[in-house]
Structure formats: structure tokens, C-alpha cells
Amino acid sequence: MYAQMVETGVKSVKSTTEMSSEEQAFQARIDAEIKIEPKNWMPEAYRKTLIRQISQHAHSEIVGMLPEGNWVTRAPTLKRKLQLMAKIQDEAGHGLYLYSAMETLGADRDEEVQKMHEGKAKYSSIFNYPTLNWADMGTIGWLVDGAAIVNQVPLQRTSYGPYSRAMIRVCKEESFHQRQGYEILLHLMREGNDAQKEMVQDSINRFWWPVLMMFGPSDAHSPNSAQSMAWKIKRHSNDELRQRFIDQTIPQLQILGCTAPDPDLKFNEETGHWEYGEIDWTEFFEVLKGNGPCNKERVAQRKKAIDEGAWVREAAVAYANKKQQRNAA
Amino acid sequence: MADWTLFEVFIRSKHGLNHKHVGSVHAADSEMAIENARDLYTRRNEGVSIWVVPSASITATATDEKEALFDPSDDKIYRHAGFYKLPDEVGHM
């Protein structure tokens, strides 16, 4: 979801007899729910997969600031503007918690950011969609952050200690994001005029399917799931999380007085779950390949921020050196 | 970022409590590390005091020394209060 289709580089999960004694001890530790810490021995594939997963997660938080930043200067009131800025600052914070966790695996932050700029590392597909109206700020908080919460809550128990601790911090803050988003929509639906209500429905119509895609392809098409589950860096299947999200979201959708753009959506009395229509995975894979509506714009904006901020970072070092020399004198 | 130093961040969440490790930040110097740690780790009243320490200055126990270092205390149960059985009439001690 925030990390989609993370490659493990492993063709099939090793059985205990195929493992070296170090691998067996490592797997036993994971099976016993004992966290793996930076200095513990770990298989190279575990380290690399985690770097890919955590960096992708971090890049998503950072790129995720862009669609929201689009509305800071146009927020309808000062109150909404302050809330939006606080949320965006949180996303930056979440990105930094995650980059720190990634660095404990020996990865270099600059190099990993560079990989994203070169298109070698991904970020969540959802941030390649444009934010066209103010209601999109509500929909992102409610649905996008809502989907993120469903994914991140189980990741608090992930096997890698620093990742788990970063997730615990992130989850504490996400609930503000979701509630502020839902409140934006509720306010528009309850106090708004017809045009404002239509704006909410239009926003939900555009984001509904891309949000469901955030959880990644169906279990049958997730070749990396088995290894990631064995390592406990993924704790539930994509379909399971998607179902959990839909079941908790539909009642909230009804309270808003809105609908989902899915004619096949219906409640199954027997299973107690909502059934949903076919997801257009062609669109998902196109967006991942870089052909979504905003891929080029997002990456270009991130590169620009890094390049044009270079002088600030250099000046900070020059100033720190000067201060040090003055103190030494 | 490459020429910035990595600092570990410790926060005292309330007066009277210990500083606790919360994560790390990059910064050009310790003063900037404090500012970055303030923005990153105390956006919601999480702390009343911050320490930053260059990560390279921390010496830690090695994982393969765990048994050698910590096992010797396993069999010293006489170091715990509960080891000493006293008659009920003594009451709480």
C-alpha cells in the first residue's frame, strides 16, 4: 500500500532444512516474535527487501505532501489552512522517522532519494493522482490516510525493531489526519450548497478506485507475499487488508450521504462483508510504470526541491564550521 | 546530507522522568540537531527537554556478547526481595 509490490528477490521460501544455522536462528527469533535489531545477524535478502520497503514507504510520505501542498494557499479558511499545514508537516515527520529506520540497515539516505528521482525506487501509486478541488483534501485525509492506517496498524508489530517503532509513532498521529479529512467532507455535506455537495461526490468518485488499488494486487498476483509474510515484514494479505478497509469505510460513506462509484458494491449478509466490483489493475500497473496523471510532475517537483535547496544545506555546514572555529579560538 | 552528522535524540517526556531514546536526526551541528529534533519529535508536547549525541560517539554492547554480559545475573535470585521469606506477622516490608 504505502509500500506496494516490494521485491524480495527470493523465488520461494526456504524450508528449515534448506536454511543455514544462522538463517534458522534468525527465523526462530522472528517466529518467537522477538524483534530483529540493527546489529543482529540478518539474511542479505531481508536487509535489502526492508530497505526497499521502508524507503518506498518514506518516499510515499514525502511525495504525499505535494498533492496537499497544492491547496495550502487556497484553503477556504485560516483554520483549515493551519490544519492542512499541520498535517503536511506530520507527513514530512513520518518520512523522516522512516528514513532514519532505513538508515539503521546501512542504507544511505541521499542514495535512496536519488533512486526515487531516477525512477528506480517507487512511492505509492495514489500520489500520482491530481487534487482538483478542495474536497480532495477531505477525501485524502479520510480515504488515503484511512487506507494507510489499515496497512500501518499491523506493521507496528513488524519484525524489524526500528521499523516497528517508527510505525508506532506514525499511527499515533494518523488518526488526526483521518478525522480532519472526514470532518472537511462532513462539513461540506451538512452545511454546504448543492455545488459543494457535488464537489464531495466528484472527489470520492475520482479517488475511490485508486484508493482500493493502494493495497496492491490480489493475493494470487503477489509473488513476494509469501517471503514477506514469513519474515513478518508484512502481516496480512493485500486482499484481507482491502476488505477490512472497505468494511469499515462503507458505514462512514453512508453517514456522509455519498455513494461509491461501484455498481457491484453490496453487503453479503452471510459473510458480514461488503462485496466489491473488479479493480482495473491495468490502470494500477500503468501508474506504477510512470504513466499516471502526475508521475512526471511529482518527481520533477521533488528533484527541484532537493536541487534548489542545495545551497541552504551547504550554507548550514559553512556556518557550523565557522562557529566551531570561533569557539575554538 | 552526506556531510551532515547523524545525531541520536533523547527526550525527557515529563519532569522527573529519564531521557529516553526516540530516534535520530541529521544536522550540520549539535545546535541544529536540537532544532531539528524539536520539530521532528515534539510536535505534540512530547517533551520538556532534549539531548542530542553524535551517533558515532555511542559505544554499545555487541549482540554476540549478550550471554557473557547478562546471563550471570540470571542465577542470582537472592538479589530480589521476594527471595527472602518472612512470617506474615512482620507485615509489609
Side-chain angles (χ1 to χ4, degrees):
Chain A
M1 65 119 19
Y2 264 27
Q4 295 158 329
M5 306 200 66
V6 179
E7 287 284 333
T8 57
V10 170
K11 286 200 183 68
S12 66
V13 181
K14 279 187 190 172
S15 67
T16 314
T17 47
E18 290 170 304
M19 288 180 186
S20 67
S21 59
E22 273 173 324
E23 284 174 308
Q24 282 179 17
F26 171 82
Q27 190 62 48
R29 197 182 161 104
I30 287 181
D31 294 342
E33 299 285 338
I34 301 170
K35 298 274 179 262
I36 305 298
E37 296 296 341
K39 288 190 170 157
N40 295 143
W41 183 88
M42 59 186 86
E44 207 38 39
Y46 175 85
R47 181 192 300 277
K48 284 191 176 146
T49 305
L50 263 181
I51 292 174
R52 268 193 291 266
Q53 178 169 339
I54 301 174
S55 70
Q56 201 186 117
H57 199 153
H59 299 332
S60 299
E61 301 284 357
I62 299 299
V63 176
M65 293 193 282
L66 300 174
E68 294 182 312
N70 187 32
W71 282 89
V72 169
T73 57
R74 286 172 287 164
T77 64
L78 180 60
K79 180 186 86 171
R80 292 292 185 203
K81 185 172 181 164
L82 290 172
Q83 291 167 349
L84 188 59
M85 288 194 298
K87 180 180 188 292
I88 295 169
Q89 195 191 358
D90 273 358
E91 306 300 358
H94 296 178
L96 293 177
Y97 303 153
L98 286 157
Y99 282 130
S100 296
M102 177 197 80
E103 287 173 297
T104 64
L105 291 157
D108 179 87
R109 190 184 300 194
D110 293 338
E111 276 173 28
E112 296 306 318
V113 167
Q114 186 60 29
K115 280 185 200 163
M116 192 227 327
H117 293 175
E118 288 166 3
K120 289 180 197 155
K122 291 189 284 260
Y123 53 87
S124 176
S125 56
I126 192 69
F127 301 118
N128 289 313
Y129 291 87
T131 44
L132 304 177
N133 67 33
W134 167 249
D136 287 355
M137 294 305 97
T139 306
I140 286 184
W142 172 46
L143 293 180
V144 175
D145 289 78
I149 292 170
V150 168
N151 177 259
Q152 288 169 165
V153 164
L155 283 178
Q156 294 178 99
R157 295 185 297 115
T158 192
S159 62
Y160 188 57
Y163 192 25
S164 152
R165 292 189 284 275
M167 282 296 101
I168 292 170
R169 296 192 75 85
V170 167
C171 285
K172 270 192 202 151
E173 298 174 350
E174 287 285 10
S175 139
F176 142 61
H177 299 179
Q178 197 183 18
R179 289 172 68 109
Q180 68 89 31
Y182 192 68
E183 198 213 57
I184 288 174
L185 299 182
L186 206 56
H187 187 73
L188 289 168
M189 290 306 291
R190 296 206 168 157
E191 318 283 333
N193 58 29
D194 287 349
Q196 287 168 323
K197 289 178 192 170
E198 272 172 41
M199 187 164 85
V200 174
Q201 186 61 58
D202 168 64
S203 174
I204 294 171
N205 289 349
R206 281 182 288 109
F207 275 94
W208 183 258
W209 290 109
V211 164
L212 295 189
M213 290 174 201
M214 283 173 70
F215 295 92
S218 239
D219 302 339
H221 299 101
S222 302
N224 302 300
S225 280
Q227 182 60 71
S228 292
M229 300 266 247
W231 283 334
K232 296 191 180 171
I233 54 178
K234 178 173 183 166
R235 308 232 36 164
H236 301 279
S237 78
N238 296 347
D239 284 335
E240 203 182 330
L241 293 174
R242 185 165 21 245
Q243 188 64 54
R244 192 178 294 179
F245 172 76
I246 290 178
D247 288 342
Q248 74 180 38
T249 301
I250 303 296
Q252 298 162 357
L253 181 72
Q254 291 167 335
I255 292 168
L256 276 181
C258 292
T259 56
D262 178 0
D264 297 324
L265 192 70
K266 61 171 186 293
F267 189 67
N268 184 325
E269 295 281 351
E270 258 173 54
T271 60
H273 292 296
W274 285 87
E275 289 172 357
Y276 52 97
E278 198 65 38
I279 293 172
D280 180 4
W281 292 112
T282 326
E283 176 180 322
F284 172 77
F285 287 113
E286 278 304 308
V287 175
L288 276 200
K289 261 194 274 172
N291 302 325
C294 300
N295 296 57
K296 289 188 182 69
E297 184 187 328
R298 300 288 188 239
V299 174
Q301 234 175 320
R302 282 308 310 152
K303 276 175 74 168
K304 188 170 169 232
I306 295 278
D307 294 345
E308 293 183 2
W311 72 271
V312 179
R313 296 190 297 277
E314 285 159 19
V317 174
Y319 179 64
N321 289 341
K322 203 165 121 187
K323 250 192 324 186
Q324 207 180 5
Q325 279 164 10
R326 201 180 297 149
N327 288 345
Chain B
M1 196 73 73
D3 16 326
W4 286 16
T5 308
L6 185 67
F7 290 85
E8 298 302 320
V9 181
F10 299 81
I11 291 187
R12 183 200 295 280
S13 60
K14 267 199 299 195
H15 289 293
L17 295 184
N18 294 325
H19 283 76
K20 208 174 145 190
H21 183 245
V22 293
S24 56
V25 290
H26 288 272
D29 62 9
S30 52
E31 206 174 304
M32 185 183 185
I34 292 268
E35 286 164 8
N36 290 353
R38 196 278 311 254
D39 288 348
L40 188 56
Y41 294 107
T42 63
R43 290 196 299 282
R44 291 178 177 79
N45 296 319
E46 288 96 334
V48 293
S49 161
I50 300 175
W51 288 349
V52 291
V53 182
S55 308
S57 304
I58 292 183
T59 309
T61 57
T63 29
D64 52 9
E65 289 174 342
K66 185 173 163 285
E67 284 89 12
L69 287 172
F70 306 113
D71 283 2
S73 77
D74 275 359
D75 57 0
K76 294 178 179 59
I77 46 172
Y78 48 86
R79 285 179 174 173
H80 296 275
F83 179 77
Y84 302 91
K85 303 286 173 249
L86 302 180
D88 286 349
E89 55 265 37
V90 175
H92 178 72
M93 184 185 277

